[in-house]
């Protein structure tokens, strides 16, 4: 279900944004074809961040409802996001895992097998990050243009002020 996959990605990326004060967030998507053109494909997603990281004893616990990482900062939330991610993945016959090192960041993995269906016009699907402000400053300029285009297709809204952005992509340190 595209809405469930969107919800999973949205929750994982939102958490990475919350817990990554500086550094980077990467999203990797891989589709592994089945044995034949009509056989199910495996979709693999990884969200990698350079955030605070998660202690080993908390890594399994945070996938349970109402569980949050105890930090010294005032990060708001219900503790349901990762439990929802886990449940949606399981409902689609997939799985979620986390690898993390405190002070270095985290890698959240999600995989699911998907049936092959006929193409749906992408204009009919609402973008997953509709209206979320993003600021991009990367070099060289053609790369920046490409990044802005890709973010726009995902629904991000370009802003001039990095302080007003929920997503900041830049080469080097942000201003």
């Amino acid at each position: 279900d595209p809405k469930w996959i969107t919800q999973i990605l949205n929750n994982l990326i939102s958490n990475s944004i919350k817990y990554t004060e500086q550094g980077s967030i990467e999203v990797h998507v891989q589709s592994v074809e089945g044995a034949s053109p009509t056989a199910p494909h495996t979709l693999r997603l990884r969200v990698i961040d350079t955030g605070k990281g998660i202690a080993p004893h908390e890594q399994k616990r945070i996938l349970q409802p109402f569980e949050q990482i105890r930090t010294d900062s005032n990060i708001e939330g219900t503790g349901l996001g990762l439990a929802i991610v886990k449940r949606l993945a399981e409902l689609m016959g997939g799985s979620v895992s986390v690898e993390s090192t405190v002070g270095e960041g985290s890698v959240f993995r999600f995989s699911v097998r998907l049936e092959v269906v006929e193409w749906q016009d992408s204009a009919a699907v609402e973008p997953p990050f509709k209206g979320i402000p993003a600021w991009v400053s990367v070099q060289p300029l053609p790369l920046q243009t490409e990044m802005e285009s890709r973010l726009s297709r995902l629904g991000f809204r370009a802003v001039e002020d990095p302080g007003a952005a929920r997503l900041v992509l830049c080469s080097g340190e942000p201003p």
Side-chain angles (χ1 to χ4, degrees), residues 22-150:
Q22 56 182 284
S24 63
I25 299 168
E26 299 176 17
V27 178
H28 298 250
V29 180
Q30 178 185 23
S31 176
V32 180
E33 292 185 14
S36 73
T38 57
H41 290 215
T42 300
L43 179 67
R44 294 182 183 144
L45 298 159
R46 287 184 300 152
V47 177
I48 304 165
D49 66 54
T50 58
K52 297 174 186 270
I54 305 164
H57 68 281
E58 292 185 311
Q59 290 178 25
K60 285 196 180 207
R61 186 177 64 80
I62 61 168
L63 296 173
Q64 302 305 313
F66 304 108
E67 294 291 340
Q68 290 181 295
I69 299 170
R70 307 292 181 243
T71 65
D72 55 355
S73 60
N74 290 333
I75 295 177
E76 295 182 19
T78 61
L80 289 174
L82 292 175
I84 290 169
V85 165
K86 180 180 178 206
R87 183 66 181 138
L88 290 176
E90 290 170 347
L91 286 171
M92 291 187 291
S95 63
V96 175
S97 65
V98 60
E99 292 177 24
S100 187
T101 303
V102 173
E104 294 182 19
S106 303
V107 177
F108 283 87
R109 287 183 172 78
F110 158 68
S111 65
V112 65
R113 291 178 55 88
L114 300 173
E115 297 296 322
V116 177
V117 296
E118 288 188 37
W119 173 253
Q120 178 183 6
D121 181 10
S122 63
V125 179
E126 184 171 316
F129 301 101
K130 185 177 180 182
I132 294 178
W135 180 81
V136 180
S137 176
V138 295
Q139 295 298 322
L141 189 55
L143 178 58
Q144 177 167 328
T145 303
E146 177 64 22
M147 291 300 300
E148 288 171 340
S149 173
R150 289 177 184 225

